[in-house]
Amino acid sequence: MVAGLGAMVGCSQPHRFEVDISGVEVDRAELTLYNETTAMTHEGNIVSAERANRADGSGQIAIYRVGGEPIICPIGYVSSGESEPHRFVTRNGTCQPV
């Protein structure tokens, strides 16, 4: 039975994260999930990243602005079977889920 559970976890789709950063001059962005940090890609007004779905977890996205304080997007809790991608938007120096 344990082997079957491991196989199910291995088949889970990755968690995907997207942040609309319209109007924010971004130096870089990082996704932290499962206590691991990954650089996010930046294309147009969107920063995005994918992370293998290993288990339930929480974390954050840090958006490092050029010449300003970072914007933090808290990732409260993710688990298997959720709608993907997890979307956020930045407004007035804050980050909100969409």
Side-chain angles (χ1 to χ4, degrees), residues 4 15 24-26 37 41 43-44 46 48 51-52 56-57 59 61 63 69-71 76 78 80 83 85 87 89 95:
H15 288 297
V24 177
E25 196 173 349
V26 173
T37 300
T41 60
E43 188 172 323
I46 302 292
S48 62
R51 178 59 61 85
D56 297 351
I61 296 169
I63 300 165
E69 293 292 315
I71 300 171
V78 293
S80 298
S83 178
R87 290 189 169 106
V89 63
C95 184

Side-chain angles (χ1 to χ4, degrees), residues 16-36:
R16 296 184 327 257
F17 298 88
E18 295 179 354
V19 183
D20 182 337
I21 55 165
S22 298
V24 177
E25 196 173 349
V26 173
D27 179 48
R28 71 185 193 286
E30 298 173 336
L31 165 67
T32 300
L33 189 64
Y34 310 125
N35 293 318
E36 295 176 7

Side-chain angles (χ1 to χ4, degrees), residues 72-74 87-91 94-98:
I72 304 298
C73 306
R87 290 189 169 106
F88 299 84
V89 63
T90 57
R91 287 193 184 112
T94 66
C95 184
Q96 324 266 300
V98 178

Side-chain angles (χ1 to χ4, degrees), residues 50-62:
E50 241 181 46
R51 178 59 61 85
N53 185 349
R54 298 191 329 227
D56 297 351
S58 61
Q60 72 174 22
I61 296 169

